Amino acid sequence: MTEDGGRRGAGPAAGGGRRSAEATRAAILRAARDRFAADGYDRATIRAIAADARIDPSMVMRYYGSKENLFATAAEFDLRLPDLSGVPADRLGRELVSYFFTRWEGDATLPALLRTASTNPSGAERVRAIFTTQLGVAVGRVVADPTEAPRRAGLVASQLLGVALTRYVLRLPPMVDISPADLITWLAPTIHRYLTDPDPASH
Amino acid sequence: MTEDGGRRGAGPAAGGGRRSAEATRAAILRAARDRFAADGYDRATIRAIAADARIDPSMVMRYYGSKENLFATAAEFDLRLPDLSGVPADRLGRELVSYFFTRWEGDATLPALLRTASTNPSGAERVRAIFTTQLGVAVGRVVADPTEAPRRAGLVASQLLGVALTRYVLRLPPMVDISPADLITWLAPTIHRYLTDPDPASH
């Protein structure tokens, strides 16, 4: 629970009285994302999420129906990948890696999703859908042969999610201590190669 | 629970009667690794692990003291990394990646450890220790400047654990479908570069 989350709407808003339905839904989603991030899917309870959002647990169920559905909605996020189609080929790796750090550094959503996906089948399905569709589409726009897009997106995901895992979830000291600028320099050629090198399977 | 695990020592062995202490400990560890892999740390219970090992839960506690201690011991594994110091520099990447697949393809230990480490602080600490010491030492033997070994080992871990995450835990379809031979061809130059490229931070 964030400081802000704990104080927001205390008192009069309890029970959703003065909040619009939209504001209530947003407060629930914020609280759910924080809780799933901190506790993982299994330990995060509807009761705790409702307490964080300062509303009654029955309201959470009224708006979202079930914990699984709440998670699916909380994790229904947009990677907001940039359109890379105008980027010169030799800048693709650096552009995608830089974007990754701009987006995820200091945002707990991706670690939360990885934690949940590691131990929960619907969390894993959610991550598969997000990366297959969004990253697959972004990569498909820039690779020479679109039929190779899924495999190239998979390889890109293996490195970027590996960074997310080691830096934000497992917190391996050398991966935590390295600056984003140095990490970008290390990772850009890797991502570039996954996007542009000939596929060994096509030979 | 494996078929074998379920049948091994049924009946007379229940309670550990005819088993040596060593065989009992080994049976508990096997059952614990299977359970932690299947259910994750939080949901895996001492009771279920004891049932899988066909012994009384009190024996598990007698041998291991606590669930956390049992997990720490079950995860106290040896990566059994090869000594790379005799490998020619231009083969290092391929050698390490090939080894990785020989070791982990079909072995559920690493996914189990990643699942547990993603949601449990002592699991994360265990992974940090394993990768810092074992991978750090192996990498330290082959890099030009040993002071750079931790960072290079961290980068190698970010890619190899990213493959473990996307292939064995999240099961992203393109990462599941790709053959080990193709994956090795894709990953070897990445690992090679992390081991041998000049560190941008040292410039």
Side-chain angles (χ1 to χ4, degrees), chain A residues 43 119 128 170 190 193-194, chain B residues 43 119 128 170 190 193:
Chain A
R43 275 182 294 180
T119 50
R128 280 194 292 273
L170 302 179
T190 301
R193 214 164 50 72
Y194 294 161
Chain B
R43 275 182 294 180
T119 50
R128 279 195 292 274
L170 303 179
T190 301
R193 213 164 50 72

Side-chain angles (χ1 to χ4, degrees), chain A residues 42-43 115 117-119 128 150-152 154-155 158-159 162 170-171 174 182 186-187 190 193-194 197 200-201, chain B residues 42-43 115 117-119 128 150-152 155 158-159 162 170-171 174 182 186-187 189-190 193-194 197 200-201:
Chain A
D42 287 319
R43 275 182 294 180
R115 277 197 192 88
S118 294
T119 50
R128 280 194 292 273
R151 173 170 292 191
R152 293 180 185 280
L155 289 161
S158 81
Q159 176 62 88
L170 302 179
R171 303 191 62 75
D182 282 352
W186 275 112
L187 300 174
T190 301
R193 214 164 50 72
Y194 294 161
D197 256 26
Chain B
D42 286 319
R43 275 182 294 180
R115 277 198 192 88
S118 294
T119 50
R128 279 195 292 274
R151 173 169 292 190
R152 293 180 185 280
L155 289 162
S158 81
Q159 176 63 87
L170 303 179
R171 303 190 62 75
D182 282 354
W186 275 111
L187 300 174
T190 301
R193 213 164 50 72
Y194 293 162
D197 257 26

Side-chain angles (χ1 to χ4, degrees), chain A residues 119-155:
Chain A
T119 50
N120 178 269
S122 55
E125 179 51 40
R126 188 63 39 186
V127 172
R128 280 194 292 273
I130 288 168
F131 279 85
T132 305
T133 55
Q134 299 183 37
L135 187 60
V137 166
V139 167
R141 287 205 193 101
V142 296
V143 295
D145 178 354
T147 64
E148 292 176 356
R151 173 170 292 191
R152 293 180 185 280
L155 289 161

Side-chain angles (χ1 to χ4, degrees), chain A residues 74-99:
Chain A
E76 190 79 72
F77 66 78
D78 188 345
L79 293 174
R80 300 202 293 267
L81 290 169
D83 181 2
L84 298 170
S85 56
V87 175
D90 63 348
R91 299 269 313 165
L92 279 175
R94 175 163 287 268
E95 201 75 16
L96 195 51
V97 175
S98 302
Y99 166 78

Side-chain angles (χ1 to χ4, degrees), chain A residues 29-95:
Chain A
L29 283 185
R30 269 194 303 273
R33 288 189 181 117
D34 285 350
R35 270 289 154 191
F36 287 131
D39 298 346
Y41 181 85
D42 287 319
R43 275 182 294 180
T45 62
I46 293 286
R47 182 171 299 275
I49 290 165
D52 292 351
R54 313 288 288 192
I55 63 167
D56 194 83
S58 67
M59 291 290 283
V60 177
M61 296 308 281
R62 186 174 133 196
Y63 279 111
Y64 291 99
S66 67
K67 177 173 156 184
E68 191 163 272
N69 195 44
L70 173 59
F71 172 73
T73 310
E76 190 79 72
F77 66 78
D78 188 345
L79 293 174
R80 300 202 293 267
L81 290 169
D83 181 2
L84 298 170
S85 56
V87 175
D90 63 348
R91 299 269 313 165
L92 279 175
R94 175 163 287 268
E95 201 75 16

